[in-house]
Amino acid sequence: MTFPCDARVVANEFLDMGDLAGTALTNMALQKLVYLAHGWHVVREGRPLATNHFEAWKMGPVVRCLYDALKGYGDQPVKDRVKWFNALENRIEIARAPLDDRERGFLAELFNKYGRLNAFQLSRLTHARGGPWHRVWNAPPGEIFFNQRISDDLIGEYFQVHVENLKDDL
C-alpha cells in the first residue's frame, strides 16, 4: 500500500482519469479533488491520503507544491502531468507512485463522484460553512495567519459528520 503519498501523485491519477473520461481539469479543480479525496480517505481509512499539508487560501484548501507545479496554467486545463524533482536520480520527472488496485479504485470512485464537476461547483463543497477551510479562514484575529494549515484532525472531524451531505450537496 502506497497511501499516504504526495498530492502531486494523486493529481496525476486524476489527470489520467480525466483524459480517459474526456474531462479537462484545471489547477483549482485538481486542488479540490485532491482535498475531497483526502477527506474521504481520512474517514474511511483513519489516515491521510496526502503526505502534504492543506493550507487555507482565499480560493480554498490548497497544497502549495501542487499549486506551484500548476500555477502556470492559470484557469486553463492542465495539459501535462505534474512533475517533481527526484533527488536520488538528480532529475525532474513525472510524479508517480506504485498505487495498488484498491488505491486506484478509491481514487476512481472519487473521480466518478466529483470529477465532472467544474472548479466552482467543487469550491462550493470545499467552502461549506462550518467546514475545515471555512473555520480556519474565518477564525478570529490572532488565531489565524495567512495560508494557515488545515489539520487532518479538523478535516477528518468534518468529513465524518458531513460525509453524507457532501455527496448530495451539489
Side-chain angles (χ1 to χ4, degrees):
M1 200 159 255
T2 303
F3 289 160
C5 65
D6 193 286
R8 292 169 289 191
V9 169
V10 177
N12 281 337
E13 292 293 323
F14 285 141
L15 285 166
D16 291 347
M17 292 174 196
D19 282 353
L20 288 173
T23 302
L25 299 170
T26 63
N27 182 0
M28 191 161 114
L30 283 166
Q31 292 284 350
K32 308 311 181 213
L33 287 171
V34 172
Y35 174 77
L36 289 166
H38 183 81
W40 278 88
H41 195 268
V42 168
V43 170
R44 286 188 181 177
E45 302 295 328
R47 61 191 172 96
L49 170 73
T51 55
N52 318 79
H53 301 289
F54 288 88
E55 298 176 1
W57 288 24
K58 181 178 182 179
M59 295 304 288
V62 170
V63 172
R64 181 179 295 276
C65 66
L66 180 57
Y67 174 82
D68 288 343
L70 298 175
K71 66 185 172 187
Y73 286 97
D75 63 355
Q76 298 302 304
V78 175
K79 299 288 185 195
D80 298 311
R81 296 305 174 258
V82 183
K83 295 182 177 146
W84 60 16
F85 179 71
N86 179 336
L88 295 175
E89 302 286 331
N90 194 30
R91 67 178 181 192
I92 295 174
E93 61 189 23
I94 294 174
R96 295 283 186 200
L99 304 181
D100 64 28
D101 289 343
R102 182 172 178 226
E103 292 165 333
R104 280 209 167 82
F106 171 79
L107 294 178
E109 180 184 350
L110 267 290
F111 185 82
N112 290 337
K113 183 179 299 295
Y114 300 115
R116 287 185 171 74
L117 300 178
N118 67 43
F120 297 102
Q121 291 170 311
L122 291 166
S123 286
R124 281 199 292 275
L125 295 175
T126 62
H127 286 69
R129 181 173 293 281
W133 174 84
H134 184 264
R135 287 177 57 188
V136 170
W137 186 255
N138 293 293
E143 291 184 26
I144 186 166
F145 301 96
F146 184 68
N147 297 348
Q148 184 168 339
R149 183 181 295 177
I150 304 171
S151 74
D152 288 336
D153 289 340
L154 188 59
I155 293 169
E157 172 189 305
Y158 177 78
F159 273 73
Q160 183 67 46
V161 172
H162 295 90
V163 77
E164 288 303 314
N165 292 339
L166 282 173
K167 57 185 167 183
D168 299 324
D169 193 19
L170 304 175

